[in-house]
Amino acid sequence: MSKAPKRLASQQRIAEFAKRRGGASYHDAAGVAEERLWRLKEDYANAPASYRKYLLVGICTCLESHIKYFYAAAAEAFDDFPDMLRALYKDIQVDTDTLVSATSKTFGLADIVAANISVSTLAAYRERASHFFSVLLGKPHDFPWDFVNIGTNGDTVLNKEYAAKLDRLERVFDARHKFIHETDVLGLPDENEDDPLECVEDALWLTSQFEKQYGDVLLSPKYASVKDDEGMEEAVQRVSGDIENAFDHIKAQCDDRQHESLDKLKAAFFEYLWARCDFVASVFIVQRSEWAKAQFLDLAPEYKTMLADLALKQRYALSKYPIDEQEADLLEAKGESEG
């Protein structure tokens, strides 16, 4: 029996990422990685001594998952900024089989990104994070210091404390490497030098710094759902206009006889969006009008890719099977059944 091509193993890894999150967003998956750090801390005291050496493996794995899932989350959050994503993912290489699988909906860009990013050192984590924010902000960024220095306002004591956190985490990655490659069977930093639980706290501090900075990016005018020169109503009208334009694009690919049905689909589509947003809002608050509008602004852009895909499929379908041929075949089939 011949061996399966190596590419299939790559595709399988990507498909596993798509399956693993079970419908959740990669932003949610990054949060779960951080929660695992909390569990490591809680479980450490009750773990047998022989298992405690795995703590450093867990710390490094959680940090790697955290950064790779945020890279993947960017594919979901910034699909309206293809040039930015192109710069963000410039060093990710994808083979043809993977592209075919992605376009066949087995998995998508976010899953490909998650499966192709790895972090083996703290320096690699910081390099990935710095690149992430440099691209999103459009200017060079040094993670975590550019943000930390704003908070410390040059306080040398705090800066020294944060530098110590990074040094401890660097030693954790070094110890993980020695443990995995069996050059150090204990696999823990020198207990006289580093407290393993303190190292977990350091990792939590680092992930929180990333998320604070990411939150600031999402609130910036460049990416906010409500621009700085408009109110909520204007934003809703703008997004509604985007959807109207998407349907106009679909209409341009349709036969004239399909337009009436398409208009019915558009009306039902808008009703569905608003009904869904109203329902989500009603779960949290009674006076839900403004909240529903906010939900609409967050939800509606997710469907733009789907509408573009629908236009493409419609154009392809009519090129292969025009309406006139469909009607002729239906009349012929009807005549045969009546005869």
Side-chain angles (χ1 to χ4, degrees), residues 30-41:
V32 172
E34 190 173 27
E35 288 174 10
R36 284 202 296 270
L37 282 170
W38 284 104
R39 288 200 298 271
L40 286 173
K41 180 181 176 182

Side-chain angles (χ1 to χ4, degrees), residues 257 319-331:
R257 285 163 287 184
S319 69
K320 297 297 183 181
Y321 197 18
I323 293 291
D324 289 338
E325 290 186 18
Q326 295 181 41
E327 290 182 341
D329 289 345
L330 286 172
L331 290 173

Side-chain angles (χ1 to χ4, degrees), residues 256-306:
D256 290 346
R257 285 163 287 184
Q258 296 176 292
H259 289 180
E260 183 179 351
S261 295
L262 182 63
D263 288 339
K264 292 179 180 179
L265 171 63
K266 182 171 71 173
F269 183 81
F270 272 105
E271 288 177 8
Y272 160 74
L273 279 179
W274 278 111
R276 180 174 172 184
C277 294
D278 274 325
F279 172 75
V280 173
S282 71
V283 173
F284 299 102
I285 54 177
V286 177
Q287 300 296 328
R288 59 183 184 271
S289 177
E290 290 298 310
W291 186 269
K293 291 176 184 176
Q295 291 288 321
F296 179 80
L297 291 174
D298 289 337
L299 180 66
E302 295 181 13
Y303 288 92
K304 289 174 64 179
T305 301
M306 182 197 75

